[in-house]
Amino acid sequence: FEDIMPRWLKFVKGVVDSDDLPLNVSREILQKSKVLSIINKRLVRKSLDMFRDIAEDEDASKYIMFWNNFGKYLKIGIIEDDKNKKELSPLLRFYSSKSGEEFTSFDKYIDGMVEGQKSIYYVTGEGRKNAMQLPVIEKLKTKGYEVLLMTEPLDEITIEAIRDYKEFNVIDATKEGLDLEDGEETKKETEELNEKYTDLREFLEVQLEGKVQKVTVSTLLTDSPAALVQGAYGVSPTMQRYMKAQSVASGGDGSMGSMNQAILEINPKHPIVQDLEKMVQADKESAKTQNFAMLMYDVASMTGGYEVSDTGSFAQRVMSLMSSMGSSQSGEVGVEDSKEKNSDEDKAIEPEVIL
């Protein structure tokens, strides 16, 4: 009966011996019995104690084996059983930016926090490799912060049910307005940069109408020219694909409309963004400028885990860029050859001086 054991503990098997249950057992009688509620609480408590004993065992491989087999049930418990969420949270295991091939826990994450860090950060992605390449965690890594990696659709739902752990907030690094508590100077710098790049932001918002909510300047990017982030109530690209597949499976068209349009953040210190700014100031109506902007958006989409909706146009933009680079290289080679030829000719007609 579900009243005896919650759904997330259905993998636990055993025998309940009780002298307090009525002899005339029927479903109706059991459902009204207060004893059943007591048994439920004791079984859940006993199960959690058993899980903790395995987790605290000197042989760490025992809990890893347990987690690999039954970890998904504990994640469901976090989602469904609000009463035992605090008891289940220490038992969760995730990969992280510093754990390599091993799992880490919230407690282990906290022990490894750098001085001044006040929150637990996580990102979502399809697999550890893709999650580690997300542009949004560049600043976190440069500050030495560890980032938890949510690599499965169930992970995202689970972690969103945990708003805090002990005295630390659990924060999604792929959401808009990530605050790393860098102080008022950083906030002032961001405001000034947004004002400085107003023309570029407005140009991008026009070009990407229907694709992004808005365009903002970010000081959190270090190596990437741009990144896509979600609003406060948006869902990750991994979850979007999962929801789309579910919609198609149930007979829908898989369209999510503008519900989850991302926000484009640009890095004003990156050469690509600076070049685009010059191109916009020179001639924002030119096809070259517009293709350059769209290509930057496409790259941000792919590195952020999003799908490029129009692959044909993307391929044309890449080939156009390759062609222009090829032409430029050919021109440079022609100039060098001409210089060398002229130099040889000059040497050939140089008169010989006889003393």
Side-chain angles (χ1 to χ4, degrees), residues 51-316:
F51 302 157
R52 276 191 289 267
D53 289 341
I54 300 174
E56 294 170 1
D57 194 281
E58 292 182 359
D59 186 358
S61 64
K62 291 183 178 180
Y63 190 75
I64 297 304
M65 184 181 296
F66 168 82
W67 177 257
N68 287 332
N69 285 283
F70 307 111
K72 62 181 179 180
Y73 294 103
L74 302 190
K75 295 176 185 177
I76 294 173
I78 291 285
I79 299 167
E80 296 184 347
D81 194 345
D82 194 59
K83 293 181 181 178
N84 293 294
K85 187 188 300 184
K86 288 187 177 181
E87 300 291 330
L88 284 167
S89 294
L91 298 171
L92 297 178
R93 296 292 183 271
F94 302 105
Y95 290 110
S96 81
S97 59
K98 294 183 178 181
S99 67
E101 299 293 324
E102 299 180 356
F103 288 108
T104 191
S105 64
F106 282 124
D107 289 320
K108 191 174 179 180
Y109 179 101
I110 292 171
D111 291 339
M113 278 184 170
V114 300
E115 186 178 356
Q117 184 177 346
K118 298 179 180 179
S119 300
I120 297 171
Y121 299 97
Y122 73 91
V123 295
T124 58
E126 290 190 351
R128 283 173 284 166
K129 183 177 179 181
N130 290 336
M132 283 294 295
Q133 292 175 347
L134 292 174
V136 293
I137 66 173
E138 291 174 355
K139 189 65 175 288
L140 291 169
K141 290 193 291 186
T142 58
K143 292 175 74 70
Y145 291 178
E146 186 174 12
V147 183
L148 297 178
L149 310 177
M150 307 294 118
T151 56
E152 300 176 4
L154 187 57
D155 289 347
E156 184 173 353
I157 302 173
T158 302
I159 200 72
E160 286 181 351
I162 306 173
R163 299 299 178 90
D164 56 76
Y165 184 80
K166 295 183 177 178
E167 68 270 26
F168 301 97
N169 292 325
V170 180
I171 296 177
D172 185 354
T174 62
K175 298 290 187 183
E176 176 193 18
L178 179 64
D179 185 8
L180 298 183
E181 300 174 358
D182 291 328
E184 292 299 324
E185 291 184 4
T186 302
K187 292 181 180 179
K188 185 178 180 181
E189 180 188 3
T190 303
E191 292 175 359
E192 292 175 351
L193 288 171
N194 271 293
E195 182 67 25
K196 178 181 178 181
Y197 286 87
T198 298
D199 292 341
L200 176 58
R201 291 191 299 107
E202 291 177 350
F203 167 77
L204 288 170
E205 287 176 354
V206 171
Q207 291 298 310
L208 301 174
E209 185 178 2
K211 297 179 181 294
V212 299
Q213 292 182 31
K214 61 181 178 179
V215 179
T216 62
V217 173
S218 173
T219 58
L220 299 178
L221 299 173
T222 56
D223 301 323
S224 300
L228 288 176
V229 298
Q230 282 291 331
Y233 301 102
V235 295
S236 72
T238 304
M239 183 58 66
Q240 288 184 33
R241 283 190 287 273
Y242 177 75
M243 293 168 65
K244 183 178 180 179
Q246 290 288 92
S247 174
V248 172
S250 60
D253 61 359
S255 175
M256 301 184 69
S258 60
M259 177 177 64
N260 280 295
Q261 287 182 3
I263 297 163
L264 180 65
E265 294 186 345
I266 57 176
N267 178 8
K269 297 180 181 179
H270 199 281
I272 290 178
V273 175
Q274 294 173 353
D275 288 345
L276 181 58
E277 164 71 8
K278 295 175 183 176
M279 294 168 70
V280 170
Q281 296 296 337
D283 185 5
K284 65 180 180 181
E285 300 298 331
S286 71
K288 184 179 179 180
T289 302
Q290 295 175 3
N291 285 335
F292 195 92
M294 288 300 299
L295 194 57
M296 185 181 73
Y297 166 77
D298 289 335
V299 172
S301 296
M302 290 188 295
T303 55
Y306 294 83
E307 295 180 350
V308 176
S309 56
D310 190 348
T311 54
S313 297
F314 170 69
Q316 289 180 357

Side-chain angles (χ1 to χ4, degrees), residues 351-355:
E352 183 179 357
V353 179
I354 300 175
L355 300 175

